[in-house]
Amino acid sequence: MTEAWTIPQTIRWSIPDETRKSWDRKIPYYMRFRDHFAAMIETGALAPGTRLPPERALAEDFSITRVTVRQALTRLETEGLIFREERRGWFVSPPRVRYDPIANTGFTESITEQGRVAGTTVLSKQQVAASQWESTHLGCALGAPIYLISRLRSVDGRAVLVEQIHIKVARCPGLLDYPLDQSMTDLMADKYGIIEHRAQINMRPTALSEIPAKALGVTVGTPGLYLSRAILDQSDQVVEIDQEFWRHDAIDICVSAAGRHESESGD
Amino acid sequence: MTEAWTIPQTIRWSIPDETRKSWDRKIPYYMRFRDHFAAMIETGALAPGTRLPPERALAEDFSITRVTVRQALTRLETEGLIFREERRGWFVSPPRVRYDPIANTGFTESITEQGRVAGTTVLSKQQVAASQWESTHLGCALGAPIYLISRLRSVDGRAVLVEQIHIKVARCPGLLDYPLDQSMTDLMADKYGIIEHRAQINMRPTALSEIPAKALGVTVGTPGLYLSRAILDQSDQVVEIDQEFWRHDAIDICVSAAGRHESESGD
DNA sequence: CGGCGCGGCTGGTATATACCAACTCGATTC
DNA sequence: GAATCGAGTTGGTATATACCAGCCGCGCCG
């Protein structure tokens, strides 16, 4: 319904003849089913959050088997139009939230600006010994003490991401005693005088594995977006690593870039 | 095999007890199948580009049905470990290419730096009348003449993205007469004196629709990443809009961010 | 009135089978 | 030697069916 949804549809590709031909040939059942619901969602006939009828009912109504129904539903899920909750049903996805991973605004602030309600829950906080991966990426000895904080973040009551935060104990002693359901950036600045100077961000599509899927209340293997953020201080020391697992249909990443300089070449 | 692949596996989530319990309960056939191939790929026993046996052979070897095999293969595909070519077979995915959408380097340059071979093919070039979407985003009248360029870009011979470039004819007259299989940024700077000053980038996971899927040689509905880039000049005029459709398993987005400023709050 | 249990509903996993459509590659033909 | 044809192979779509596992609500029981 929002502009974001319609962008892919408004694209005009090069060979319209090809497209026209495709209308002549037989369209698979699952695709007609998909098109039907995609249209209803995009026109707003099905409001976000609406629950779809049970798979068995859909199969009967459309005179196709449940297997075919599930093929179509999975497709709509991949497209981000609907989502499912394990053994509870299929629902129309809410509009995506815009998120700028490099901006000077945090999650809560950014969501609030969009007129939506952000929520944060601390799932766990503990002190552990650095694994191989952590020692490499945090720049500490293997087995050195680190804090591990796991949080669930939601928009309008729907969980959209789980994150795991890794911080060296030596750098922020006593961190776990502070309230952790708010901005880590602010906390580290206020209590430890640590200012984020630079961040290295990685993103890639993935499938949600068991633990993050369970935390988000989704079926394992559903598409997701992995986003990691390494935060460096003024002296280029890594002070925090944040690993985020997003529902793939919840996010619209928006970044603004400074332009290429005159002297440099592109491409 | 690369570090990027193993990150999700090295994550240590909060409730290891839960994880332990999961080993006791029955693991579905499709998951064991998945685990088997995921392990072979991650250890390098299956090299990138390797073709998997036909689905029917896999079904027989593992004593499961082809439906179940396909469920597992689709899962591995969502995870980015394997990909398929329409009616040709399943293959092990090559390592992802790192890509910084906001850096001062173009596609070819960036790929080359990673020791890989970039390729660009112009699929089509034409002049059309601006659609509603184009007039809105390019900032021109509806029906105004615009150039539409469609290109296919590959890494090591494998198509990784299709892009569609929209440029106002008024701004770059005669553009289509220049060679278009190279840097558009350079071309616009050299021939028209247009310097990229700022870019607005949007990204989100999606499913590849028919046209981009066909161009990439993949099955429609496979996961993809949609990336659009609006390029503004010195006077904040939109001079170019680039819409890119990536194979989701080909890309590892890396961006470097300037830190949050001292006076601002994060979250 | 509150907690517990059970049954029904939902999606999750799996079998067995069939036919279709596109690609491959070798053989045949011009 | 190049173009064409065709058979076989591969994935794509679809039916019909069965049982399992977790969620939910109703009703029973304390």
Side-chain angles (χ1 to χ4, degrees), chain A residues 10-66:
Chain A
T10 61
I11 288 179
R12 183 168 45 200
W13 288 89
S14 43
I15 315 139
D17 304 329
E18 290 279 346
T19 310
R20 211 173 300 123
K21 272 195 296 184
S22 75
W23 284 105
D24 301 335
R25 74 157 183 269
K26 184 179 177 298
I27 297 175
Y29 292 167
Y30 87 90
M31 190 56 73
R32 293 185 217 174
F33 180 100
R34 185 221 84 96
D35 291 345
H36 176 74
F37 280 93
M40 288 188 73
I41 293 169
E42 281 157 9
T43 61
L46 287 177
T50 304
R51 180 179 178 174
L52 300 188
E55 294 176 359
R56 286 169 235 260
L58 289 170
E60 192 168 0
D61 290 353
F62 286 77
S63 299
I64 52 180
T65 58
R66 216 183 122 206

